[in-house]
Amino acid sequence: MVGPRIVVVGTGPAGVRCAEQLVAAGIRPVVIDEGGRDGGQIYRRQPPNFRRGYADLYGSEAAKADALHRAFDALRDRIDYHPGTLAWNVTEGELHLMRDGAAWRAPYDALIVCAGATDRLMPVKGWQHAGTYSLGAAQVALKSQACSVGRRVVFLGSGPLLYLVAAQYLKAGAAIGAVLDTARLSDRVAALPRLLARPGVLRNGLSYIAALRRAGVPLLSGVTPVEITGDAARGVDGIVVRDGAGRERRFDCDAVAMGYHLRPETQLADLARCAFRFDAEARQWFPEVSLEGRSSVKGVYLAGDGARILGADGAENAGRLAALSALADLGLPVDRARVAALLREQGVMERFRRGLVRAFPWPAGQAADLADDAIVCRCECITAGELRRTVREMGAAEANRAKAFSRVGMGRCQGRYCGQAGAEVVAHAAAVPLEQVGRLRGQAPVKPLAIATREETQ
């Protein structure tokens, strides 16, 4: 008997637990991963020839990382695993894939997208200088290659990743110039009732801040970024911010790691024609998905940070729930009590997520205040002034129209890193609510393919 064809995209916490649930039901899923090794970003595995221990790599999350890696290792002979493979398009019942220049299609009865998230970035004048990294990229350098992005690093932005990565750099022995948070202390205090939904996670976050304080690292809250200084030849040489009292302060460094929490990786969901909704509190668009993982499209399920930013624990639950939903929709038996228990846990995760949004708000006002000569789109070198002229002189008050006229979001990253800030600039210039600007539509290929790529059909 041939079982249903279920394809899982991603081998982070959501993807691994999803595949595990499917295998437990007697399914042999196809598992696609763009990375060379499983674990996703948060539990990224080091290269095979590296020998650092789990405690060094993952700190307080070492046990969870070890458990996830062991679970995936136990699945390898029971899944069709395709590492290093890009899922670049979705059409009716088929996922389009490419690896090492060869492209093919994987037909599916159920597609479960566990694509994860990327850094949410807000431009600052000078962020195009060499030595400016996202927080995620700085963390990848440390986990994958055991190296710092600079000799003296300043961390800028907001969100739990800001303190986590800074603490990881501190533990690794890197020199840290400062940790500069745009959120105010009062934001975190106001968020405490929701954050207390997960006291253990909150305690971990506070321990990172305490470790940085003990080490004498300057920690500033409520800052306003002014400029990352440097030039094209030497790269970054410092950063200037205004502190909470309005005083201008400079910190010397040769690298800046910046980020403002996360944005879900939604392009495959978009190509699968899933509906989206605007979250006014987070000021970003999310795909519509039930707590059980069902999207608005029959046979397409979404789980993990690619659907809703709940963190690694929430992603593991979401992966299990999406698998159980797919099994149920395909007419296979599922444990209803198990589903109910997972849903209760997700309720706690959701409350904590809303606490993080309150504690570390997206600094929308920075987009409005960007200098006209500040670059918004680093791929195409488009400035805030050029984008504003597109709005004021060409009437491009919608995200895709502004992209077509200005080329913001048209480069290699396809708007992953500039799209949300660009929308804020457009909304302010046009004096309309952000949701009215809309969002950049996903287009295939989701990442660049070689022009000579030819797809083999089966």
Side-chain angles (χ1 to χ4, degrees):
M1 175 181 174
V2 178
R5 300 166 302 181
I6 303 182
V7 176
V8 179
V9 178
T11 61
V16 172
R17 294 308 180 191
C18 178
E20 184 180 47
Q21 196 72 56
L22 295 171
V23 167
I27 304 292
R28 184 180 179 89
V30 174
V31 178
I32 308 298
D33 189 19
E34 190 175 346
R37 305 193 75 189
D38 59 283
Q41 294 298 338
I42 187 163
Y43 299 138
R44 174 181 285 270
R45 284 187 161 180
Q46 60 188 332
N49 57 326
F50 281 40
R51 293 288 180 267
R52 288 170 293 171
Y54 273 78
D56 290 335
L57 274 171
Y58 308 108
S60 63
E61 306 304 292
K64 292 177 183 176
D66 186 37
L68 196 83
H69 294 162
R70 288 177 184 273
F72 190 78
D73 289 343
L75 293 174
R76 283 175 181 271
D77 295 334
R78 303 168 73 185
I79 61 176
D80 290 332
Y81 176 41
H82 297 269
T85 301
L86 173 67
W88 61 272
N89 194 13
V90 184
T91 52
E92 190 69 33
E94 291 184 319
L95 186 66
H96 298 242
L97 303 167
M98 190 196 72
R99 179 182 181 182
D100 297 333
W104 73 100
R105 302 179 186 184
Y108 63 80
D109 300 305
L111 172 65
I112 306 177
V113 180
C114 310
T118 55
D119 293 274
R120 196 181 187 192
L121 297 176
M122 175 62 76
V124 54
K125 187 176 180 179
W127 76 313
Q128 75 276 12
H129 295 320
T132 305
Y133 296 80
S134 71
L135 288 170
Q139 191 181 48
V140 167
L142 191 64
K143 286 183 179 177
S144 294
Q145 299 301 322
C147 65
S148 166
V149 293
R151 288 183 295 275
R152 185 174 181 82
V153 185
V154 166
F155 293 83
L156 169 69
S158 196
L161 197 60
L162 178 71
Y163 296 97
L164 170 63
V165 181
Q168 289 172 333
Y169 266 63
L170 178 69
K171 185 176 180 181
I176 300 176
V179 177
L180 309 174
D181 193 337
T182 57
R184 299 165 301 179
L185 185 59
S186 58
D187 292 322
R188 278 171 264 174
V189 172
L192 262 181
R194 292 176 182 173
L195 294 176
L196 285 169
R198 302 186 66 193
V201 178
L202 178 59
R203 193 161 48 247
N204 278 346
L206 294 174
S207 73
Y208 302 144
I209 294 173
L212 291 162
R213 286 195 188 284
R214 284 196 301 273
V217 174
L219 301 178
L220 276 68
S221 296
V223 305
T224 301
V226 175
E227 182 177 7
I228 295 173
T229 60
D231 56 41
R234 295 172 296 143
V236 171
D237 65 20
I239 182 169
V240 180
V241 299
R242 280 194 299 276
D243 64 19
R247 296 168 300 197
E248 208 163 89
R249 299 181 61 174
R250 175 188 167 86
F251 296 89
D252 293 332
C253 61
D254 63 354
V256 174
M258 59 184 285
Y260 297 83
H261 208 29
L262 301 172
R263 56 162 289 277
E265 189 61 65
T266 59
Q267 285 178 293
L268 291 179
D270 203 2
L271 292 170
R273 301 182 183 280
C274 295
F276 280 67
R277 64 174 178 83
F278 182 73
D279 186 315
E281 196 172 23
R283 292 182 72 83
Q284 60 178 323
W285 293 84
F286 294 103
E288 287 185 7
V289 61
S290 70
L291 280 179
E292 293 90 345
R294 292 184 177 89
S295 76
S296 60
V297 177
K298 183 180 179 182
V300 177
Y301 305 83
L302 309 173
D305 284 347
R308 189 184 291 118
I309 309 293
L310 295 179
D313 296 339
E316 289 192 44
N317 283 346
R320 294 182 178 109
L321 281 165
L324 291 166
S325 296
L327 293 169
D329 294 348
L330 290 165
L332 298 169
V334 301
D335 182 344
R336 298 294 177 186
R338 172 71 166 149
V339 172
L342 289 170
L343 288 175
R344 283 194 296 274
E345 290 181 26
Q346 289 301 75
V348 176
M349 305 288 177
E350 173 63 14
R351 181 171 174 77
F352 186 76
R353 179 194 74 80
R354 293 178 62 203
L356 291 180
V357 171
R358 178 67 183 87
F360 304 106
W362 166 244
Q366 284 184 40
D369 295 335
L370 270 178
D372 273 349
D373 61 347
I375 287 177
V376 175
C377 172
R378 298 200 300 184
C379 296
E380 298 287 328
C381 292
I382 307 300
T383 65
E386 291 174 88
L387 184 55
R388 288 174 182 134
R389 280 194 293 276
T390 300
V391 176
R392 291 167 179 163
E393 298 175 9
M394 305 177 78
E398 189 273 331
N400 295 284
R401 194 171 176 82
K403 172 184 174 181
F405 288 165
S406 71
R407 297 193 63 83
V408 165
M410 203 174 282
R412 187 177 180 87
C413 87
Q414 290 286 288
R416 287 180 176 83
Y417 300 116
C418 65
Q420 295 197 0
E424 295 280 3
V425 173
V426 170
H428 186 263
V432 299
L434 179 61
E435 59 268 37
Q436 193 170 313
V437 175
R439 62 185 180 83
L440 294 178
R441 289 188 295 271
Q443 295 184 9
V446 300
K447 291 184 181 176
L449 300 181
I451 198 167
T453 300
R454 295 184 61 182
E455 191 172 63
E456 300 295 330
T457 57
Q458 294 180 340

